[in-house]
Amino acid sequence: MKLRNIGVIGAGAMGSGIAQVSAVAGYNVVLQDVYSDALLRARVSIEKSLSKLVSKEKMAKADMDAALDRIQFTTALKDACKDADLVIEAVFENLELKHNMFRKLEELCKKEAILGTNTSALPITEIASVTNCGDKIIGIHL
Ligand SMILES: NC(=O)c1ccc[n+]([C@@H]2O[C@H](COP(=O)([O-])OP(=O)(O)OC[C@H]3O[C@@H](n4cnc5c(N)ncnc54)[C@H](O)[C@@H]3O)[C@@H](O)[C@H]2O)c1
């Protein structure tokens, strides 16, 4: 499977950074959060971070604009899942929340999608245990 589309779940410190590096790397990104103000903060933070690179001449303005164009922001989980080849979950570090999230991801994502968790400390097998797709669930600690 060719990796083109990445869904990032949770637009906090990690999710916004993951969305930024993924878009700069050329992937189409849908960044999702339950809170629209978190999405707004993420957009501002990504723009600020890329602008710094442009002002230091480490990135061309056109590349910054192209990267920003590749990121969609949404509160609808299904929009982050429907075309995703890879989903990276970066919600709060809470096992019950991650269990609920992975149940939904299993339901909403295509069968071949890889589901990653950015957890710092929770066991990946424990997170995956509530799904029937444990072979598709990976740890992506960045
Ligand atoms: N080096 C690393 O890889 C690293 C570093 C720090 C944190 N982490 C892990 O990454 C994850 C996120 O950490 P963070 O520091 O970005 O947290 P954060 O508190 O900055 O952001 C979490 C975001 O998740 C959102 N969220 C909560 N419930 C949600 C839901 N049901 N659906 C969608 N979004 C939801 C919140 O609104 C918030 O914006 C945690 O699991 C944390 O342990 C990894």
Side-chain angles (χ1 to χ4, degrees), residues 9-16 32-35 38 41 77 89-94 97-98 101 104 117-122 140-142:
I9 315 303
M14 291 308 299
S16 60
Q32 186 269 352
D33 202 288
V34 276
Y35 301 110
R41 279 197 301 274
L77 185 62
E89 168 275 312
V91 300
F92 300 134
E93 186 78 334
N94 173 290
L97 178 62
K98 289 190 193 281
M101 181 54 66
K104 288 183 200 160
T117 173
N118 190 230
T119 182
S120 300
L122 297 168
I140 306 180
H141 186 79
L142 304 163

Side-chain angles (χ1 to χ4, degrees), residues 1-6 83-87 110 112-114:
M1 179 178 67
K2 185 133 174 67
L3 180 59
R4 286 197 181 88
N5 303 317
I6 300 180
D83 296 323
D85 304 308
L86 168 67
V87 169
K110 56 190 182 189
E112 60 275 27
I114 302 295

